[in-house]
Amino acid sequence: MPPAAPKSMESRPALPPAEAARALLSFSNVTKRYPDGGREHVVLKGVSFELGHGRAVGLYGAPGSGKSTLLRLAAAIESPDDGSIRFDGVEMTGLSASERARLLRGPLALLSGGGWLASPGESVLDHVAMSIDRKSTRLNSS
């Protein structure tokens, strides 16, 4: 028996035409490398795709194929070595970490089955501070 068709989403308000035409997330020729001893390990090479507003996607692949790296790039936790990543029309690759956090704070969440891995030089406090609205919350490192 074939799987049931998805339920209609007719109750969702329509997006304005300009917003509906623009990709919510786009990768253009994105490459990410990591140091591996005295060599570089290329995890993603020339990845390009667009994800439209209101879409849901799943990501799967073999261990070590770059799934987590792609998600970390999409969530602006890391930056690509080459290429362009745009979120809702805004180029993210030139933004600072705090600017990326402000841009993505509300509309994007990264859920991972694994543990949190810090970026180089990032503390848990740094990670939490980027994940919440610092204007209304005071953090102490004690």
Side-chain angles (χ1 to χ4, degrees), residues 35-142:
D36 184 13
R39 309 174 322 164
E40 272 190 338
H41 178 66
V42 179
V43 179
L44 299 174
K45 184 177 181 182
V47 174
S48 296
F49 68 88
E50 288 188 346
L51 178 63
H53 286 264
R55 299 291 180 184
V57 297
L59 184 62
Y60 62 94
S65 63
K67 300 177 301 294
S68 294
T69 298
L70 188 139
L71 291 172
R72 289 175 66 86
L73 290 168
I77 295 168
E78 295 188 26
S79 296
D81 294 313
D82 296 306
S84 169
I85 301 174
R86 296 178 75 80
F87 182 79
D88 206 18
V90 176
E91 175 63 49
M92 293 195 309
T93 50
L95 300 177
S96 70
S98 60
E99 290 170 324
R100 291 189 314 262
R102 275 193 296 279
L103 174 67
L104 300 172
R105 183 174 292 122
L108 185 70
L110 176 62
L111 303 175
S112 175
W116 166 70
L117 297 175
S119 296
E122 180 184 36
S123 70
V124 172
L125 184 60
D126 294 331
H127 184 75
V128 170
M130 281 186 53
S131 301
I132 61 174
D133 184 359
R134 285 185 268 174
K135 292 176 188 169
S136 62
T137 305
R138 184 161 183 224
L139 299 175
N140 294 318
S141 58
S142 54

